[in-house]
Amino acid sequence: VLSGTVLGDIDNYNDTLGNPIYKPNIKNVVIQGKIISISDSAFFECKALESVTIGDSVTTLGSFVFSYCEALTTVNIGTGVTDIPTLTFGSCTVLKSITIPDNVTTIGENAFLSSGLETVYLTSNNLLDPEISPGTQSFYGKDDVNVIFTDVDVIITNTNNSTQYVAGTGTVLGDIDNYEDTNGNDIVKAILKR
């Protein structure tokens, strides 16, 4: 039973029947309702934890919140979270993919260090580091991560090495001169890189 709006170390809580909650027994977590903050290391080393849903009411995550959750495969981040702090998912070795919603504007150093992360889903509207682009790259402490922009169908690199993203409106790509990028800029064939 929780009282207040901050969720601390889960080992300090009892369930609704008064029984203690033990980290080794936690398999799935849904955080919702009045909880607006999850403190540092709240679920640290919950080795059986497989799935986490962070509800829209949560606005703050502490560092190391899910570090060493070695069975964690599924994470859903609500619309309230704006920051994924340092080592939030560090050493989550079976976490293969994650969707970062547009409301997340900062990710802490090494947030995914030593994780199993292979794929990150973003939109081209994300306000993270402007150097993040589709393709394989280092992503906050994890090397060789494939970043996929979910709202983009065509990625164009210009002769000046700037990148434009075209959001599709159908299944047929016509003359590229007839399109604008996701920022409303005209795409001109003459400056496309081969």
Side-chain angles (χ1 to χ4, degrees), residues 151-156 158 164-192:
D151 62 336
V152 171
D153 292 327
V154 180
I155 302 164
I156 296 171
N158 295 322
Q164 291 177 295
Y165 307 105
V166 179
T169 56
T171 57
V172 177
L173 182 64
D175 186 336
I176 201 67
D177 276 334
N178 297 326
Y179 291 89
E180 294 180 342
D181 67 14
T182 54
N183 293 321
N185 301 313
D186 289 331
I187 295 176
V188 181
K189 280 185 204 176
I191 61 170
L192 296 181

Side-chain angles (χ1 to χ4, degrees), residues 92-141:
C92 293
T93 55
V94 296
L95 180 63
K96 300 296 183 198
S97 68
I98 192 167
T99 299
I100 309 289
D102 287 345
N103 45 284
V104 174
T105 56
T106 56
I107 297 179
E109 184 177 357
N110 296 322
F112 296 96
L113 183 68
S114 299
S115 71
L117 194 63
E118 296 173 356
T119 307
V120 173
Y121 297 96
L122 300 166
T123 71
S124 60
N125 297 321
N126 79 75
L127 298 176
L128 296 169
D129 183 342
E131 296 298 315
I132 295 174
S133 61
T136 302
Q137 60 202 273
S138 180
F139 191 82
Y140 298 96

Side-chain angles (χ1 to χ4, degrees), residues 7 12-14 58 67 70 79 82 93 98 104 119 128 172:
L7 181 61
N12 297 326
Y13 294 95
N14 294 328
V58 177
S67 285
E70 296 168 352
T79 60
T82 58
T93 55
I98 192 167
V104 174
T119 307
L128 296 169
V172 177

Side-chain angles (χ1 to χ4, degrees), residues 16-30:
T16 55
L17 300 174
N19 301 314
I21 297 173
Y22 297 108
K23 283 183 178 179
N25 299 336
I26 298 172
K27 183 175 178 181
N28 299 302
V29 172
V30 176

Side-chain angles (χ1 to χ4, degrees), residues 12 23 42 44 49 65 73 76 83 85 88 91 107-108 110 130 135-136 159 166-167 171 175 188 194:
N12 297 326
K23 283 183 178 179
F44 184 84
L49 183 61
V65 172
T73 59
N76 296 301
D83 177 40
T88 300
S91 296
I107 297 179
N110 296 322
T136 302
T159 53
V166 179
T171 57
D175 186 336
V188 181
R194 293 178 184 196

Side-chain angles (χ1 to χ4, degrees), residues 15-67:
D15 66 17
T16 55
L17 300 174
N19 301 314
I21 297 173
Y22 297 108
K23 283 183 178 179
N25 299 336
I26 298 172
K27 183 175 178 181
N28 299 302
V29 172
V30 176
I31 302 164
Q32 59 188 11
K34 295 184 258 180
I35 302 298
I36 60 170
S37 179
I38 305 171
S39 64
D40 292 349
S41 304
F43 293 93
F44 184 84
E45 292 187 331
C46 285
K47 301 219 183 254
L49 183 61
E50 296 176 0
S51 172
V52 172
T53 298
I54 302 168
D56 294 341
S57 64
V58 177
T59 58
T60 305
L61 298 177
S63 296
F64 305 93
V65 172
F66 300 105
S67 285

